[in-house]
Amino acid sequence: MIGIVGAGAFGTALAVALGQAEREVTLWARDAAHVDRMARTRRNADRLPGVALPETVTVTAEIKDLSGCAAVLLSVPMQTLAGFLADHRGALDGLPLVACCKGIDLGTGRGATAIIAETCPNAIPAILTGPSFAADIARGLPTALTLACADTAVGARLQPLLSTPALRLYRSEDVRGAEMGGALKNVIAIASGVVIGAGLGDSARAALMTRGFAEMVRFAQANGAETETLSGLSGLGDLVLTCTSELSRNFRFGRALGRGEGFDPAITVEGAATARAVAKRTETLDFEMPITTMVAALIDGQCSIEQAAQALLARPLKEE
């Protein structure tokens, strides 16, 4: 049995995809009324409209129902992961715990697997990340993701368990690289949205994506990641998707920022907290993160779009 924590769009999509592949899935949500509604209607109409839950998916509000699972996928926002694990470590510690969130914790500066390891020391941390939208996964459209786990044997066991005919997982042992790629691409997606929202054009977006990828690689390497991982699905692949699609929440947030418009605060934008977390660390780095720093400044209202663009364009000319 596979457990999934979080009945948002992505958690529900994973439950649908795995359930359609005839896996037994237990989907946990904290709101008992929401659980009851999903159990009765076999729908998650608010988060993933038009998609039915397979009969192999059981919905529950009882965390103890996950204790016997072969693996538990943690589809909760990055900034709430530590608190959730602290509250429920008794039921989850000792299990393979697969983070499905992308970001860096603003309070500690840590990635998801480090938080899992600290909070649930007997668990086996892993991360599932890469270019994907919940609607595509739920509809059975071809999707490829990275499954990173430092424990080779556990990763090899999880790969076929979590793969389906349409959901193809590539295995990696570079957990740090997979985490960094998934986290940092959200920051660059916000910047890409700002570029388009401010009317700076597709050529500017392409340049920003390229230089943003260079920032991602520098930061990931400084945090112990392998360069090759950033060139894969969890880095470059996810960067391309989120910087060019209006389905990306981070891109839409950036576009609203570029247009000077408001954005629904109920929508999770992981890149905003990640930009702030990385910006905090720039003072201790021996290299610069100009795009990430500017994104953090824009989000916090410390500079205007015009000032940010001028600052980036005024940087010294150098070799690529």
Side-chain angles (χ1 to χ4, degrees), residues 2-3 11 38 44 48 50 60 63 78 86-87 89 149 177 186 188-189 191 202 230-231 236 244 257 284 290 306 320:
I2 301 168
M38 282 193 292
N44 190 352
L48 200 64
T60 183
I63 199 71
M78 182 66 209
D87 290 341
R89 74 182 81 193
C149 182
N186 282 333
I188 309 306
D202 287 325
L230 272 294
S231 297
L236 181 60
T244 60
L257 199 60
T284 64
E306 293 76 14
E320 187 170 28

Side-chain angles (χ1 to χ4, degrees), residues 160-202:
L161 178 67
L162 302 178
S163 294
T164 76
L167 183 60
R168 183 178 179 87
L169 304 189
Y170 287 81
R171 193 171 74 250
S172 172
E173 295 176 10
D174 182 16
V175 174
R176 186 63 59 86
E179 280 186 339
M180 291 294 101
L184 298 170
K185 61 88 187 178
N186 282 333
V187 179
I188 309 306
I190 292 175
S192 295
V194 170
V195 166
I196 297 303
L200 301 179
D202 287 325

Side-chain angles (χ1 to χ4, degrees), residues 200 294 297-298 301-314:
L200 301 179
M294 284 300 174
L298 283 170
Q302 296 174 352
C303 72
S304 66
I305 302 296
E306 293 76 14
Q307 290 170 331
Q310 289 172 4
L312 291 175
L313 290 171

Side-chain angles (χ1 to χ4, degrees), residues 206-287:
L208 184 138
M209 288 172 61
T210 306
R211 298 313 305 159
F213 181 67
E215 282 194 19
M216 290 170 57
V217 171
R218 289 198 300 270
F219 188 84
Q221 284 181 316
N223 284 273
E226 299 173 10
T227 305
E228 294 80 2
T229 305
L230 272 294
S231 297
L233 291 166
S234 60
L236 181 60
D238 214 354
L239 176 72
V240 171
L241 181 68
T242 52
C243 288
T244 60
S245 175
E246 294 191 2
L247 293 177
S248 165
R249 291 170 294 181
N250 290 279
F251 175 81
R252 295 200 312 272
F253 173 77
R255 186 179 59 184
L257 199 60
R259 291 174 175 173
E261 299 173 349
F263 193 77
D264 186 352
I267 298 176
T268 300
V269 181
E270 295 281 25
T274 298
R276 292 183 175 112
V278 174
K280 278 184 179 180
R281 296 193 55 189
T282 56
E283 295 179 1
T284 64
L285 300 175
D286 60 357
F287 56 85

Side-chain angles (χ1 to χ4, degrees), residues 135-144 164 166-168:
D136 291 347
I137 292 175
R139 291 168 58 197
L141 298 179
T143 303
T164 76
L167 183 60
R168 183 178 179 87

Side-chain angles (χ1 to χ4, degrees), residues 2-4 10-11 13-15 17-18 72-75 97-103 112-113 116 125-132 137 143-149 155 158-159 161-164 167-172 174-175 178-179 182-183 185 233-234 238:
I2 301 168
I4 299 177
F10 197 74
L14 289 172
L18 293 168
V72 176
L73 308 182
L74 303 173
S75 185
L97 299 181
V98 184
C100 299
C101 45
K102 301 173 182 179
T113 57
I116 292 172
I127 187 164
L128 183 64
T129 184
S132 57
I137 292 175
T143 303
L145 299 176
T146 296
L147 173 68
C149 182
L158 291 175
Q159 186 179 26
L161 178 67
L162 302 178
S163 294
T164 76
L167 183 60
R168 183 178 179 87
L169 304 189
Y170 287 81
R171 193 171 74 250
S172 172
D174 182 16
V175 174
E179 280 186 339
K185 61 88 187 178
L233 291 166
S234 60
D238 214 354

